[in-house]
Amino acid sequence: MRRLVIAPIVVVLGIVALVATPLAFLIFLALIALVPRHIRALRVVWLAFVYLVWDAAVLVALFLLWIASGFGWKLRAPAFRRAHYGLAGLALRVLFWVFGSSLRLKIETAQADAREEAYASVASVFSTGIPLIVASRHAGPGDSFILIHVLLNAAHRMPRIVLAQKLQWDAAIDAMLSRIPSRFIAPAGFGPGKTGGGSAVEAEIGDLARGMAADDALVIFPEGGNFTTRRRRSRIDRLRGAGREEMAERAEALTHVMAPHPGGVHAALCASDSDVVFVAHTGLERLVTLGDIWQALPMDKRITMRAWRVPRAEVPEGLDAQAAWLFDWFARIDRWIEAHSDPEPGNPHTTG
């Protein structure tokens, strides 16, 4: 249904939007940066228009690649895989150019510590030569898009992506990621009962990590979902309910991130001889609900990213040791976010 119904509808709507509203397109393009903050509806309409046209354009490009591959015959060949990564990189550059200027977003990278001069830039942290497992915090709208944008367009990596099943309802994302190595999974959930995750998902992640080349990078979000206070509390309660009191106490000490799931990272490490990169970012975490995003428009945000690379030789062996190590790293990410979050009146978890 997604491929045969939703994708054509998106393409038709995108064409209609372009054909029926060329004058509106030019007016929006010329005036969007001048729209006052309180006229949010106009900005939302503009962004919805851009995303619809972007989605449709990506679907058309994917259809042309399918024809060029011999109607799907060579679609899995290395040349066409690289072509799809090239298309994804171009599409994200366009999307971030438009959204960045419209929302007044600026993406910056934090400086490395003096003792880490070998990885002084994001590009050097992600430098090719050995496959990577990229474990990132998950908070705020679009942070996964930002990370993939950096990997494709700054680091020139070919990401293999682990992401939630619900994103398959975006026609372009569904079609694109069905042609490059990726897994849509059902996360473990945050309620009292287990709704996903488990050994089946870990096996899928292991399969995805297997056979990575020197310029590949597996992207995983160990928290299993965007950070919210409710989800953080649910994760702690589930750890405590499972009798893992020590892990629950460690999770309670984390204020900006949730307790990570170690199983997926462990499966990826077992399947590949990869370095690990941990990614932190700040600037989007207070945008949790649609109401938060609405009130923030235009966002006027500075998104700061920080990455640390761990050589494989420094990664411990065994699930339990890796679980403790992963908690240590998320505690470090939590401290970094605390130190780099912009101050907000009444928020006890920010510093100047």
Side-chain angles (χ1 to χ4, degrees):
M1 186 181 72
R2 292 193 313 271
R3 306 271 171 83
L4 297 179
V5 178
I6 296 178
I9 289 174
V10 169
V11 172
V12 170
L13 289 176
I15 293 172
V16 169
L18 278 178
V19 172
T21 57
L23 181 60
F25 179 81
L26 293 175
I27 292 172
F28 272 121
L29 190 62
L31 299 180
I32 191 63
L34 303 177
V35 172
R37 176 183 289 273
H38 63 275
I39 308 180
R40 297 184 176 95
L42 189 59
R43 199 175 295 271
V44 170
V45 170
W46 159 249
L47 294 177
F49 171 83
V50 168
Y51 194 81
L52 175 62
V53 173
W54 179 86
D55 230 37
V58 170
L59 286 168
V60 170
L62 289 169
F63 180 67
L64 294 176
L65 280 174
W66 179 77
I67 294 174
S69 70
F71 300 96
W73 180 47
K74 291 284 189 179
L75 203 58
R76 305 293 178 182
F80 278 95
R81 178 176 292 183
R82 288 188 175 275
H84 282 83
Y85 278 119
L87 173 61
L90 174 62
L92 286 173
R93 284 198 300 273
V94 171
L95 191 66
F96 275 89
W97 175 67
V98 176
F99 272 56
S101 59
S102 301
L103 297 177
R104 300 174 190 167
L105 294 174
K106 185 177 182 181
I107 303 173
E108 298 179 347
T109 56
Q111 292 295 319
D113 299 334
R115 63 181 178 276
E116 297 173 330
E117 290 180 357
Y119 300 129
S121 68
V122 167
S124 62
V125 173
F126 294 113
S127 60
T128 56
I130 186 172
L132 294 179
I133 295 168
V134 181
S136 175
R137 78 165 302 204
H138 207 2
D143 67 340
S144 53
F145 279 78
I146 294 170
L147 179 55
I148 301 305
H149 173 52
V150 169
L151 285 169
L152 284 170
N153 294 316
H156 307 292
R157 286 273 181 176
M158 295 195 295
R160 303 183 178 198
I161 310 166
V162 180
L163 66 171
Q165 280 180 342
K166 63 183 179 182
L167 292 175
Q168 286 183 283
W169 290 106
D170 184 299
I173 292 175
D174 181 35
M176 174 69 77
L177 296 189
S178 70
R179 300 184 186 181
I180 62 176
S182 60
R183 291 292 186 278
F184 291 96
I185 65 169
F190 298 92
K194 193 178 181 71
T195 57
S199 58
V201 166
E202 291 168 12
E204 287 193 66
I205 294 172
D207 288 341
L208 185 61
R210 198 165 288 111
M212 285 201 294
D215 54 356
D216 288 336
L218 184 141
V219 178
I220 188 169
F221 298 90
E223 292 166 285
N226 265 318
F227 174 91
T228 67
T229 301
R230 180 187 63 80
R231 288 176 170 179
R232 171 184 172 272
R233 185 71 254 170
S234 175
R235 181 67 53 77
I236 293 168
D237 291 343
R238 287 182 62 171
L239 285 170
R240 187 158 280 131
R244 308 188 72 176
E245 185 63 33
E246 182 180 352
M247 288 294 187
E249 290 179 0
R250 295 196 67 181
E252 284 183 325
L254 305 175
T255 56
H256 301 282
V257 297
M258 296 183 293
H261 292 293
V265 174
H266 174 68
L269 286 167
C270 289
S272 66
D273 189 18
S274 307
D275 285 0
V276 180
V277 171
F278 289 97
V279 177
H281 59 81
T282 185
L284 294 174
E285 53 272 356
R286 298 191 190 106
L287 305 178
V288 177
T289 66
L290 289 176
D292 295 335
I293 296 171
W294 174 262
Q295 290 298 322
L297 292 174
M299 292 180 181
D300 290 310
K301 291 287 186 181
R302 184 183 72 240
I303 302 165
T304 306
M305 296 185 69
R306 174 73 163 91
W308 298 265
R309 183 162 173 168
V310 182
R312 182 53 186 268
E314 297 179 12
V315 178
E317 298 295 332
L319 177 59
D320 290 341
Q322 287 175 4
W325 170 78
L326 193 60
F327 262 85
D328 289 342
W329 268 104
F330 268 74
R332 181 172 181 173
I333 289 171
D334 191 67
R335 293 192 298 271
W336 182 89
I337 296 167
E338 177 75 21
H340 292 82
S341 295
D342 291 330
E344 181 182 47
N347 187 339
H349 299 316
T350 58
T351 60

